[in-house]
Amino acid sequence: MNTVPYRGRLAPSPTGYLHIGHARTFWIAQERAVAAGGILVLRNDDIDAVRAKMDFAKAMIEDMRWLGLRWQEGPDCGGPFGPYDQSQRSSFYAEAFQALQAGGWIYPCRCTRKDVVRALQAPHAADEEPVYPGTCRPAAAPPFANSQRSTATPAKMNWRLRVPDGEAIEFVDGCFGPQRFVAGKDFGDFVVWRQDGVPAYQLSVVVDDAAMQITEVVRGADLLLSTARQLLLYRALGFSPPSFYHCPLVTDEAGVRLAKRHDALSLRTMREEGITSDQVREKMSLPATLSRSAFRESQAGL
């Protein structure tokens, strides 16, 4: 019997208005937290200082509350695991970086994305991170590896985690079942610290989910592969990983997953056009293929 209290989370990034794909995933996260009698945490993943905007952060909370989402901890209501804004959690990430560096898990890399793509022969999808060819990877354990945490800080370059080539990373997803990805084949050494001085997504979410004692991560299916990367970080940092539940993606009429550029399907636009939260929740129960016209047609009889 599992005696660990359930803790789920909503972790939007304020880089644009939330769309109905976000809404559907967040609603599932809330339902799972309520069913487990647990706590739902709102975390503002605003670590991207260039793209994150205060106006989007304010709209994010307003739109989520309008939809009917409720959380028990967050940047607007506090809680025991704050701060709940990633932009205020730099000390957590610096400590994790030093632990990875001291353990010899990571190495500095001067390659840009263009350099990586240029070095590869095989094509890859535009929205996928290409498998790193190992241009900057040390032949042996990095010389800075030692049993004590290093006091060095990351220079103006990327830092990558060395993956265990050939190892199968396996986990059971709550929605999609057993998953298996092979390190060095399905994904390569990946960036954990960016040259602009901030942690990459993979590191920041692992550090925060562990620190906030999240027991289940509910998110979109486009992050299934990222889970394999993050499990390696959990292991390297000595954290116990949560369970995972990846939701099917909401797509447009062309089969393309929704992004924040789909403004016509943003919660903010729907609110401004007089669509009610009840209508949005009704739509979220239908198949995950949406368009503006199809949404309107589905509401005609309401």
Side-chain angles (χ1 to χ4, degrees):
M1 180 177 178
N2 185 9
T3 59
V4 178
Y6 182 100
R7 289 179 59 82
R9 50 80 152 171
L10 312 173
S13 299
T15 57
Y17 293 122
L18 300 179
H19 56 62
I20 197 167
H22 297 121
R24 192 176 194 182
T25 297
F26 294 164
W27 194 262
I28 292 172
Q30 175 172 273
E31 288 184 328
R32 293 183 66 80
V34 170
I39 296 294
L40 190 62
V41 177
L42 173 63
R43 186 175 70 232
N44 176 23
D45 283 7
D46 62 345
I47 202 165
D48 189 334
V50 175
R51 299 176 60 219
K53 305 298 181 186
M54 186 69 69
D55 288 347
F56 289 140
K58 181 180 178 182
M60 173 181 81
I61 291 177
E62 290 177 353
D63 292 347
M64 292 168 72
R65 288 201 177 280
W66 168 81
L67 183 65
L69 292 166
R70 299 293 182 265
W71 48 91
Q72 291 72 54
E73 299 174 24
D76 58 331
C77 57
F81 296 97
Y84 293 91
D85 298 289
Q86 282 194 331
S87 58
Q88 299 177 26
R89 298 179 64 82
S90 58
S91 62
F92 291 85
Y93 311 135
E95 182 179 5
F97 172 84
Q98 290 171 6
L100 292 171
Q101 187 187 54
W105 296 98
I106 59 176
Y107 60 88
C109 175
R110 298 186 180 279
C111 299
T112 66
R113 182 179 175 86
K114 288 184 178 179
D115 293 333
V116 174
V117 172
R118 191 180 303 118
L120 295 174
Q121 299 296 324
H124 64 280
D127 59 349
E128 293 180 359
E129 181 178 340
V131 175
Y132 183 63
T135 307
C136 296
R137 189 190 221 202
F144 47 77
N146 56 65
S147 60
Q148 301 297 319
R149 294 193 177 189
S150 171
T151 58
T153 55
K156 293 183 177 181
M157 63 180 69
N158 293 322
W159 288 76
R160 293 182 181 271
L161 184 123
R162 176 201 296 263
V163 305
D165 289 338
E167 180 179 339
I169 311 301
E170 299 178 321
F171 62 96
V172 178
D173 185 70
C175 181
F176 288 92
Q179 302 294 309
R180 184 178 189 272
F181 300 97
V182 178
K185 177 183 177 183
D186 296 315
F187 64 98
D189 295 355
F190 57 92
V191 174
V192 298
W193 200 275
R194 297 176 356 200
Q195 62 181 358
D196 58 356
V198 297
Y201 165 79
Q202 309 293 355
L203 179 60
S204 63
V205 296
V206 166
V207 170
D208 288 341
D209 286 342
M212 295 178 181
Q213 299 182 14
I214 301 303
T215 61
E216 182 181 59
V217 170
V218 178
R219 58 190 182 189
D222 55 323
L223 293 171
L224 276 165
L225 179 57
S226 283
T227 301
R229 299 185 181 103
Q230 290 165 22
L231 287 172
L232 291 178
L233 280 170
Y234 277 104
R235 184 168 73 187
L237 292 166
F239 299 153
S240 297
S243 57
F244 295 90
Y245 186 101
H246 289 82
C247 305
L249 298 179
V250 177
T251 62
D252 62 17
E253 291 176 304
V256 177
R257 69 182 177 91
L258 293 188
K260 289 175 180 174
R261 62 180 176 273
H262 289 79
D263 184 62
L265 290 171
S266 73
L267 298 185
R268 179 58 44 127
T269 298
M270 292 178 183
R271 289 181 62 187
E272 292 172 348
E273 294 183 350
I275 295 173
T276 69
S277 57
D278 287 339
Q279 290 173 318
V280 174
R281 291 194 295 271
E282 176 74 16
K283 185 61 181 175
M284 289 192 299
S285 67
L286 300 177
T289 301
L290 300 174
S291 68
R292 189 175 191 177
S293 59
F295 186 93
R296 292 186 177 284
E297 290 172 4
S298 71
Q299 305 310 316
L302 294 179

